[in-house]
Amino acid sequence: MYFWKVNALADDLKADRLSEKEKMIYFFLSSIVTVFFLEFSLYMGQVPDRVNITSSILNVLVNAAGLLFCYQANKKGDNKAFIERIICLSVPIGVRVIIASSLLYIVYLIGFVVSGHEIDSASGVMDVLFGVAFEVIFYIYLGKSLYRISRAS
């Protein structure tokens, strides 16, 4: 694994010398670094509270576990084209999960407000739980799709 030698990595990529596992490690690390920086950027100029910190930690952990779950699902089959498959499948699966989660969240908010509750720290905890639940659903759906495809090849 190269952390500094860009040209050496480029040469290995050009010569197709990286295994699926090596490609997955690069993809995994780049994804987790991206999630980490996105989470970190939310708090620029602010002091995050416990709910925000918990949410960020859970987002990083769920994404890491989800990517590993998806990799293992693909590996159980033909162990080919993991990155291409996960990127392409993420779009329609992501759209479905976003639409479903948005509708459920709207129903939750309406129920919360209609029942006379105020949006406070308790609702912040529920927001975190909703977010984590839908991330988990996304990765389960993605992993199952990867497994089905890799078995069919």
Side-chain angles (χ1 to χ4, degrees):
M1 172 151 233
Y2 301 104
F3 284 101
W4 195 258
K5 298 180 180 182
V6 176
N7 291 336
L9 177 58
D11 291 342
D12 283 354
L13 285 166
K14 184 176 181 180
D16 199 26
R17 288 189 291 253
L18 294 180
S19 68
E20 281 296 308
K21 184 176 182 178
E22 289 170 313
K23 292 176 190 175
M24 186 283 188
I25 291 169
Y26 281 108
F27 179 70
F28 177 83
L29 291 174
S30 70
S31 297
I32 297 307
V33 166
T34 300
V35 170
F36 177 78
F37 281 118
L38 287 172
E39 289 296 327
F40 180 74
S41 70
L42 293 173
Y43 309 119
M44 298 286 239
Q46 299 178 24
V47 176
D49 61 17
R50 276 187 253 156
V51 172
N52 291 335
I53 292 169
T54 302
S55 175
S56 292
I57 291 169
L58 287 172
N59 280 333
V60 171
L61 293 175
V62 168
N63 278 282
L67 288 172
L68 293 173
F69 171 75
C70 289
Y71 176 72
Q72 290 301 319
N74 191 67
K75 187 178 174 185
K76 285 180 184 174
D78 62 7
N79 196 30
K80 294 181 182 175
F82 170 72
I83 295 172
E84 294 89 348
R85 290 172 178 172
I86 196 169
I87 289 172
C88 293
L89 287 168
S90 290
V91 173
I93 291 171
V95 167
R96 287 180 178 197
V97 170
I98 287 169
I99 290 171
S101 64
S102 296
L103 293 174
L104 286 173
Y105 191 71
I106 289 169
V107 169
Y108 157 73
L109 285 177
I110 290 170
F112 199 77
V113 171
V114 168
S115 67
H117 290 90
E118 291 185 28
I119 296 177
D120 57 8
S121 61
S123 63
V125 171
M126 287 303 295
D127 292 347
V128 171
L129 294 176
F130 264 102
V132 168
F134 289 116
E135 279 184 277
V136 169
I137 290 167
F138 170 77
Y139 281 113
I140 289 171
Y141 193 176
L142 191 54
K144 286 184 175 191
S145 297
L146 284 163
Y147 181 69
R148 185 176 49 81
I149 291 170
S150 68
R151 299 278 297 184
S153 299

